[in-house]
Amino acid sequence: LRRLQQVAVTPLNMAGDPTRGLKILRESGQVQFELWDSDDVPVPRKELLQKVKGVDGLVCVLTEKIDTELLDAAGPNLKVLSTMSVGFDHLSLEELKKRGIRVGYTPDVLTDSVAELTVALLLTTSRRLIEATHEAKTGGWGTWRTLWLCGHELAGSTVGILGLGRIGVAIAERLAPFKVKKFIYADVAPRPELASVINAEYVSFDELAKQSDFLSVCCALTPETKEICNKDLFSKMKNTSIFINTSRGGVVNQEDLYEALSTGQIAGAGLDVTVPEPLPTSHPLFTLKNCVILPHIASASYATRNNMSALAANNLLLGLRGEPMIKELKL
Ligand code: DGY
């Protein structure tokens, strides 16, 4: 009799309800697992280090740092790591590779949800919706005034995408019907196949900054992209430009962004991601009217989170059986 494989699983419940992923694991008959059964707080590090001892597999989310300490705590049984995220900057890829641990992740299934939220955040920021509802609720709504709460519109604009992948294309496809004039993108190299879908022009990083009326950050966080959006970039942007980030907070130098927003160097910013997360409520960015901050909810639709959990569960089970995963990172 083969023993059931031991697996540790970090939150896969949603508001108390099991996700599809959790049901898949439960019904698989393949694994016996220890679940961190709270959607409210991440598993405390100390507890995770205990729980992973001797496991064959681990399902994690982006709040868990999978580093040498954790892999040492898990020990040599650990063969498969499955993260319920498309981003993998929380994983020590070199360490995982060195130990021959296979890694599953969840691209594609969240593209629509992230693109949809990005558009919502862009419009909220550019049309100043948070300020507007605040004014309406708190008595600031006086007579109709010509320039009161004016923002910037997408019609006739140039939209820039930093890092063109599936999500960047999905965002552009949703923005095109707003009568955007031109899409441009910057990346380490041209991506003609993806670019042709949205008729986007490849430009240098400098040109992206200079031309974009709306700049949407869609690149992964890597050592190369860390704080790539800094003083240098903001100083080249137009005073009327809107900066949107739904990728990772680490690609932005937040002090420089604060400076750009508070001096009027750029018109506004919409952020779904920050450093750290949660961003302390005392953070200076929260004092700015032209900065809209969301608590990392781009993939937060019931359908998408369920799909992510199912993909994470299936990646894990396939990996543990030694079969190809549905979505596996090439290490
Ligand atoms: C991811 O998957 O990396 C997103 O940031 C959260 O869904």
Side-chain angles (χ1 to χ4, degrees):
L1 250 176
R2 254 186 72 210
R3 84 178 169 95
L4 286 176
Q5 286 163 308
Q6 304 298 309
V7 175
V9 179
T10 66
L12 277 191
N13 275 340
M14 287 199 308
D17 289 335
T19 53
R20 270 180 56 214
L22 199 50
K23 289 183 199 148
I24 289 170
L25 291 182
R26 283 197 176 127
E27 287 161 15
S28 71
Q30 188 188 330
V31 290
Q32 198 163 56
F33 58 87
E34 184 90 57
L35 174 71
W36 174 247
D37 206 2
S38 165
D39 203 18
D40 298 330
V41 279
V43 51
R45 181 75 177 175
K46 216 166 132 203
E47 193 162 335
L48 183 62
L49 291 175
Q50 280 295 324
K51 297 261 195 256
V52 294
K53 274 193 199 343
V55 295
D56 303 286
L58 171 62
V59 179
C60 72
V61 293
L62 49 84
T63 46
E64 275 74 59
K65 224 175 165 26
I66 308 299
D67 54 9
T68 309
E69 180 190 38
L70 185 127
L71 297 174
D72 282 347
N77 278 355
L78 185 62
K79 290 289 172 297
V80 178
L81 172 75
S82 175
T83 182
M84 192 180 103
S85 61
V86 65
F88 43 83
D89 46 289
H90 55 302
L91 314 179
S92 237
L93 296 182
E94 234 171 78
E95 231 8 82
L96 286 156
K97 183 176 175 173
K98 209 161 77 190
R99 296 168 194 237
I101 297 170
R102 293 172 62 193
V103 179
Y105 72 136
T106 61
D108 299 337
V109 292
L110 46 60
T111 300
D112 287 336
S113 176
V114 172
E116 189 173 294
L117 188 281
T118 305
V119 173
L121 179 57
L122 185 149
L123 290 169
T124 301
T125 309
S126 60
R127 298 304 300 268
R128 302 171 61 184
L129 299 188
I130 306 293
E131 275 180 83
T133 57
H134 177 78
E135 292 296 325
K137 265 198 289 201
T138 58
W141 185 1
T143 183
W144 189 93
R145 278 170 278 164
T146 310
L147 291 179
W148 188 51
L149 284 173
C150 282
H152 299 279
E153 65 187 42
L154 276 161
S157 71
T158 296
V159 172
I161 295 164
L162 178 56
L164 188 67
R166 298 168 295 260
I167 292 177
V169 168
I171 292 169
E173 284 175 329
R174 283 159 177 76
L175 292 180
F178 285 88
K179 299 188 177 172
V180 168
K181 186 178 74 194
K182 189 174 167 191
F183 289 104
I184 55 177
Y185 73 103
D187 210 316
V188 281
R191 310 219 177 265
E193 257 178 51
L194 285 173
S196 68
V197 178
I198 51 168
N199 199 15
E201 182 190 333
Y202 183 64
V203 296
S204 67
F205 189 62
D206 270 16
E207 281 304 315
L208 188 82
K210 284 185 199 154
Q211 290 186 35
S212 298
D213 296 304
F214 296 86
L215 202 167
S216 181
V217 181
C218 301
C219 60
L221 173 61
T222 64
E224 290 73 38
T225 60
K226 189 167 184 318
E227 298 196 2
I228 193 173
C229 300
N230 54 31
K231 213 185 206 50
D232 187 48
L233 174 102
F234 299 130
S235 67
K236 290 176 186 131
M237 287 175 69
K238 305 177 201 179
N239 298 154
T240 49
S241 292
I242 302 287
F243 177 81
I244 301 295
N245 185 11
T246 48
S247 77
R248 283 293 182 268
V251 299
V252 178
N253 179 309
Q254 285 176 179
E255 282 76 49
D256 291 356
L257 177 62
Y258 175 83
E259 180 78 13
L261 287 167
S262 58
T263 58
Q265 173 57 47
I266 63 173
L271 312 173
D272 183 47
V273 285
T274 58
V275 177
E277 291 182 4
L279 192 66
T281 52
S282 58
H283 195 281
L285 283 172
F286 277 120
T287 65
L288 299 174
K289 281 187 178 170
N290 56 351
C291 187
V292 176
I293 300 176
L294 301 179
H296 202 149
I297 55 162
S299 66
S301 75
Y302 291 109
T304 290
R305 288 286 165 82
N306 264 308
N307 290 339
M308 290 167 74
S309 74
L311 180 52
N314 284 323
N315 279 340
L316 176 91
L317 296 173
L318 288 163
L320 287 174
R321 295 204 296 266
E323 293 171 25
M325 295 183 193
I326 302 168
K327 293 289 172 186
E328 183 164 354
L329 268 180
K330 304 271 162 289
L331 296 182

